[in-house]
Amino acid sequence: MDQRGFYQPDGAWVGDVIPWQEDGVFHLFYLHETRRVPADGMPWHRVVTDDLVTFRSTGEALPSGGPTAADFNVYTGSIVVDAEGTHHAFYTGQNPAVVGADGRALQLVMHATSHDGMTSWQGHPAETFGATPGYETGDWRDPFVFWDAEAGLWRMLVTARHDHGPDRRRGVVAQCVSRDLSTWEPAEPFWDPRRYVALECPEVFQWGGWWYLVYSEFSDAFTTRYRMARSLDGPWVVPEHDTLDGRAFYAAKSAERDGRRLFFGWIASREGGADDGAWQWAGTMSVLEAEQRADGTLAFHPTQELRDTFADPADVVPAETVLSAPDGCTSVVSSEDAPSAFRLSARFDLTEGTREAGLLLRASADGDEGYVLRLEPHRHRLVLDRWPRQQTGTEQWHISGDVPFVVELERPCRLDPGEHDLEVIVDGDLCVATVDDATVLSTRLYDRPAGRVGAFVGEGTATLSHLTLAPRATPQPGRPLDDAATLDGDVLDGDLLAATT
């Protein structure tokens, strides 16, 4: 099958991505998760792309140090290049058998350098260091290094936890500083909200007159968030909508090219490949682009490159179709099943007081069964729903998830009366939905692998300016997908679905 725009290695999964852009090429290091039991140690692998839709694997980048080494697991970090052109990788080393003073598996910051364009790496074990005083030794990970030109030094942000205080509110972005990328000294915490268990995969970047701090909340929400400030000293402002995506898109970090800010994260898989399965760590790589608004807040959507992998759209229903059900629900459904990979686009003109409207995915012919992406203007949110939910007993109400939408799959967005765009990209079991080119909801669709598409309105009226479907386009000659996308046994994976508002 032709699969583009997402990446998953053959027989494995993509964990946290460490993106680095150089000379127009994105070098995407990632944690290579095999889920083998017993575990065989986690290395970094690398894929490269210049078009954001075809990916070439270069294989293993930083190997596991082996069963007895402190870096049996090579966890998240960052890449920088110094004035001499040497690349530096800072990363987390962890071994479940090596326990720190707090009784947990010790986490250490490690350092390696490359003098051949990131093809090979030389470790510097003498420069390894663990948590500085005041922090737990079992949480000292995800080093993010960047150059502070104003201060004339390198800064390192570290996911850490205070060694005292309420257990679920010890999370802190710790900080170390260096002049030479070899010797690091502790500094005051970079950000200390006393709010989370941990703030994973932190990064900062400057965009125009704003600094942005991005982190992944490791508490109850499990999502990637951002904060804004006019300087590195803060204060860090909480935007009204502070998340990049929903529960299924995690550990996103970014890289810049030609003034564009691209975020690389992973869409989590579910245990058992089922809609009711527990979320699993690692999944399929997905790319989102950020747009900076005039007030500095960020909007998120899939890249145009991903959208361009689909053919010209065709109408599902005639333009200016009116759906009206003042005290009920009405829907329109396509006459045929949708392909396994498609882009569905709709523009709804919502009248005042309309309670809900949205899209049907992989639906039955009468629209009664399937996945539902529902806009709820009175709650200003997008949610994913599905029917029927899995039966857990003999009665109708004995269902898995006895709630009116899928827990953790809701996204806040302004839905005032008037026009709103809802786009969905489906690729196998991957789904990415977007509202108004600003709010993204990514997820998996497992239980219903096929079906029709459609639109609906509940308790209100909406005009469909258009409802169009575009299948995956045929790869263009001159750049065979297989040659561009596969190497060393790695393949592109097309089982993702993403929704955008």
Side-chain angles (χ1 to χ4, degrees):
M1 179 188 291
D2 170 16
Q3 303 168 349
R4 283 171 282 169
F6 304 99
Y7 175 79
Q8 185 177 322
D10 186 24
W13 305 87
V14 173
D16 304 350
V17 182
I18 300 93
W20 175 255
Q21 189 275 133
E22 190 169 308
D23 297 329
V25 176
F26 293 98
H27 301 260
L28 306 174
F29 299 87
Y30 69 92
L31 277 55
H32 188 81
E33 171 64 276
T34 63
R35 297 179 181 165
R36 296 194 184 108
V37 179
D40 50 6
M42 181 174 293
W44 280 16
H45 278 222
R46 177 176 59 140
V47 294
V48 296
T49 182
D50 60 1
D51 64 4
L52 297 170
V53 292
T54 53
F55 301 86
R56 180 176 63 87
S57 171
T58 65
E60 189 175 75
L62 291 176
S64 163
T68 62
D71 59 348
F72 174 67
N73 291 314
V74 181
Y75 286 154
T76 309
S78 58
I79 304 290
V80 295
V81 63
D82 64 23
E84 286 72 43
T86 298
H87 291 88
H88 297 254
F90 293 91
Y91 55 96
T92 308
Q94 190 258 15
N95 188 327
V98 181
V99 179
D102 53 12
R104 299 179 59 207
L106 192 65
Q107 294 186 349
L108 303 167
V109 170
M110 295 186 165
H111 181 208
T113 53
S114 175
H115 299 276
D116 58 6
M118 300 179 288
T119 299
S120 61
W121 295 89
Q122 176 65 48
H124 302 282
E127 298 174 13
T128 296
F129 66 97
T132 55
Y135 299 115
E136 295 181 355
T137 65
D139 280 277
W140 188 254
R141 62 183 180 276
D142 307 343
F144 177 79
V145 176
F146 68 101
W147 174 249
D148 181 350
E150 183 175 343
L153 50 75
W154 295 93
R155 296 185 182 273
M156 176 189 289
L157 310 186
V158 184
T159 293
R161 278 171 50 85
H162 292 290
D163 61 6
H164 62 281
D167 188 64
R168 292 185 59 80
R169 293 192 283 114
R170 294 185 189 179
V172 58
V173 179
Q175 182 177 205
C176 298
V177 295
S178 176
R179 303 281 179 180
D180 59 6
L181 291 174
S182 295
T183 303
W184 294 89
E185 300 176 355
E188 289 297 312
F190 186 81
W191 192 46
D192 192 6
R194 299 281 180 159
R195 177 172 172 80
Y196 305 109
V197 172
L199 299 87
E200 296 193 305
C201 302
E203 71 161 329
V204 296
F205 59 87
Q206 189 173 21
W207 194 352
W210 290 95
W211 284 91
Y212 296 88
L213 167 63
V214 180
Y215 63 96
S216 288
E217 176 192 339
F218 185 73
S219 288
D220 57 348
F222 296 100
T223 191
T224 303
R225 301 184 184 273
Y226 77 96
R227 298 291 185 263
M228 307 159 50
R230 288 297 189 180
S231 79
L232 282 172
D233 297 325
W236 295 97
V237 177
V238 184
E240 179 184 7
H241 297 153
D242 69 335
T243 51
L244 277 63
D245 198 327
R247 168 63 177 86
F249 183 79
Y250 195 68
K253 297 179 75 171
S254 72
E256 181 270 341
R257 185 177 72 180
D258 300 330
R260 298 170 64 190
R261 177 65 55 173
L262 287 308
F263 283 84
F264 302 83
W266 44 268
I267 299 177
S269 59
R270 283 186 180 270
E271 189 173 341
D275 289 339
D276 280 325
W279 293 112
Q280 296 176 302
W281 188 87
T284 307
M285 187 187 300
S286 179
V287 187
L288 297 179
E289 182 168 359
E291 302 282 352
Q292 189 182 51
R293 301 185 181 99
D295 63 358
T297 60
L298 302 179
F300 298 91
H301 57 76
T303 65
Q304 188 61 45
E305 287 87 346
L306 175 59
R307 289 165 168 165
D308 288 344
T309 63
F310 295 91
D312 292 337
D315 289 333
V316 177
V317 298
E320 304 303 322
T321 293
V322 177
L323 299 176
S324 185
D327 59 355
C329 182
T330 187
S331 64
V332 291
V333 180
S334 62
S335 59
E336 299 178 351
D337 283 2
S340 61
F342 62 87
R343 179 186 176 202
L344 185 66
S345 300
R347 176 168 294 170
F348 293 87
D349 190 348
L350 303 175
T351 62
E352 181 78 37
T354 297
R355 299 285 288 180
E356 61 181 42
L359 296 174
L360 305 175
L361 306 175
R362 294 180 175 167
S364 57
D366 60 4
D368 191 45
E369 298 183 1
Y371 299 100
V372 181
L373 282 165
R374 187 169 66 239
L375 300 171
E376 298 181 342
H378 60 297
R379 293 189 175 99
H380 290 287
R381 69 179 182 180
L382 168 74
V383 302
L384 177 71
D385 201 353
R386 61 190 172 98
W387 196 265
R389 301 178 187 120
Q390 183 176 332
Q391 289 288 129
T392 60
T394 59
E395 304 298 335
Q396 185 271 334
W397 59 86
H398 293 165
I399 55 176
S400 172
D402 192 5
V403 292
F405 64 93
V406 180
V407 174
E408 299 180 310
L409 292 181
E410 60 175 320
R411 299 288 289 123
C413 52
R414 294 298 306 178
L415 293 173
D416 297 318
E419 290 189 336
H420 296 279
D421 291 319
L422 180 54
E423 171 199 70
V424 187
I425 293 173
V426 174
D427 197 344
D429 64 23
L430 294 172
C431 173
V432 179
T434 309
V435 179
D436 292 334
D437 226 24
T439 304
V440 181
L441 174 64
S442 299
T443 189
R444 298 271 182 174
L445 306 179
Y446 285 116
D447 292 354
R448 296 183 65 88
R452 306 186 184 193
V453 297
F456 73 96
V457 166
E459 297 179 339
T461 300
T463 300
L464 275 172
S465 301
H466 68 266
L467 176 61
T468 61
L469 184 142
R472 177 75 83 192
T474 302
Q476 295 298 309
R479 183 168 186 171
L481 180 64
D482 289 344
D483 291 346
T486 67
L487 185 69
D488 298 336
D490 282 4
V491 300
L492 297 181
D493 183 45
D495 61 356
L496 294 177
L497 164 65
T500 311
T501 59

